[in-house]
Amino acid sequence: MTTSAPTRPPRARKPKPEGQWKVDGKEPLNHNEEFKAADDGFHVRARIEETYSKDGFASIDPDDLHGRFRWWGLYTQRKPGIDGGKTGSLSDAEIEDEYFMMRVRLDGGTLTRQQLKTLATISTEFARGTADITDRQNIQYHWIRIEDVPEIWRRLEEAGMDTVSACGDVPRVILGSPVAGVAQDEIIDPTPVLEQIKAEVRTLEFSNLPRKYKTAVTGSPALDVVHEINDCSFVGVVHPELGPGYDIWVGGALSVQPFLGQRLGAFVREDQALDVWRGVTGIFRDYGYRRLRNRARLKFLVKDWGVEKFRQVLQDEYLGYELADGPAPAQPTEPGDHIGVHKQQDGRNFIGVAPRAGRVPGQLLHDLADVMERFGSDRLRTTPHQKLLVLDIDDDDVTDAVDALNALDLPTKPGAFRRTTMACTGIEFCKLAIVETKEVASEVMDDLDRRLEDVDLPAPITLHINGCPNSCARIQAADIGLKGQLLPTEDGGQKPGYQVHLGGGFSSAERGMDASLGRTVRGLKVFQDELADYVERLTRRFLEQREPDESFAAWSIRAEEDDLK
């Protein structure tokens, strides 16, 4: 009889460090962390002003160009003529142009008329007339030369604006309710909290986070800041004993691995909000994963920890006190895009208009400022839905103001698809894009509104068009989300098209349901030049098959796959 030697149990592998500062120390584990440790991103401004703007594009250090420039709102843009098939296969040096996208940070989307004029002038003088409203309420330029950056900064700052932390591994622009301090049904004015957080963003304490970090704050019952997809969101609620304050959400984000934010179940008084924001941001800085860039978002930590541990760490290590339990926000009963004419608290009116998928060229901004001046408005707001609100219009002027805005192709009663269509930058300027988006969006929404004039939609159907998988246009949070890619043709070639995502969205009056990420049907793709045909067919099928009071999102989630093609 033979006996075999005893076998040892396999030795458990020691998990690789995640680069969490409070767990693993601050030794950089990748090049991004190395260049951030070597020199803070804020410091690059001096080199831009004193060296690069004088010596030109060729003089820029690569770590500054592809890293620290982001801390001041600058990315290189795509070189014209490079097709989508080469995206991802070319190096930065091969795909980038010697021009920049510049993002102007507009916390809460607030603008005065004079600031609008400044933005318009910068567009026409330095950006070849370009300007877009992003879905984070910023204004984004293209064709910016490094030689012009100091002068643009000077003009922005003279008008009370800047590009600080508009990109980079920092707290990005703070989404704020576009009707803050204005709407009649507001639960709490978020302006004081937003201003407090805004001041923190400009310090070195949070200038080196694992990756980007997004904040939102609203006091509107319309839930108008897409709070479910921000890293840290404050949503206005009324506590039965403590009165108006905020419900706190953490860990939301989309991109290629979407994750909806989680309620901590905690009620935040207005005087606690800054402490809580600093605490949540501190947790991300100290415990966030830094080893791999594709895991360096707060959503991964929240998913691994769970909300109970996250809240406990926040209270024990960062606040030093416990937060009260609090209520969740109610389902909204009004649309969150604020399109149309609405009464303000002071008896005047604000007017919401729909630009073309966020495109607001410099001349249009000049013309809009003139309309505002004509009707005595000094305040404008951008929205997280790529829309604009003109504030402070007297009752006697509403009709004429609406006519003047319509004449600028800024409709106050847009067609159903003009109202809801959003698009990212796309292949025209973005180095990551595979297909065109802005022009396609503009043409398709007009075409759909003409084709569907004969139908009465129960609610607008949101259509979001993205040029790549990264979801800058929030494709997983749309009734119809389109992810750009090149699709094979019968002759062996390729054509621009989209993978179709259906039934996503946020808590809204139109959906009548909580936020969800919807569904992707395997193999459901559409060529770009057949997009209007597809959306019309899908819309008419929805109207034929819907149950009473059923939203497009609810129908598309329950529908048979063949009915979605």
Side-chain angles (χ1 to χ4, degrees), residues 250-271:
V250 298
L254 292 179
S255 193
V256 295
Q257 297 184 66
F259 188 72
L260 291 176
Q262 305 292 297
R263 290 187 63 236
L264 291 188
F267 179 77
V268 180
R269 300 193 315 264
E270 183 178 64
D271 64 311

Side-chain angles (χ1 to χ4, degrees), residues 120 123-124 128-132 355 358-367:
S123 170
T124 54
R128 300 190 187 181
T130 63
D132 294 333
R359 275 275 148 97
V360 284
Q363 187 57 54
L364 176 61
L365 298 181
H366 277 296
D367 294 341

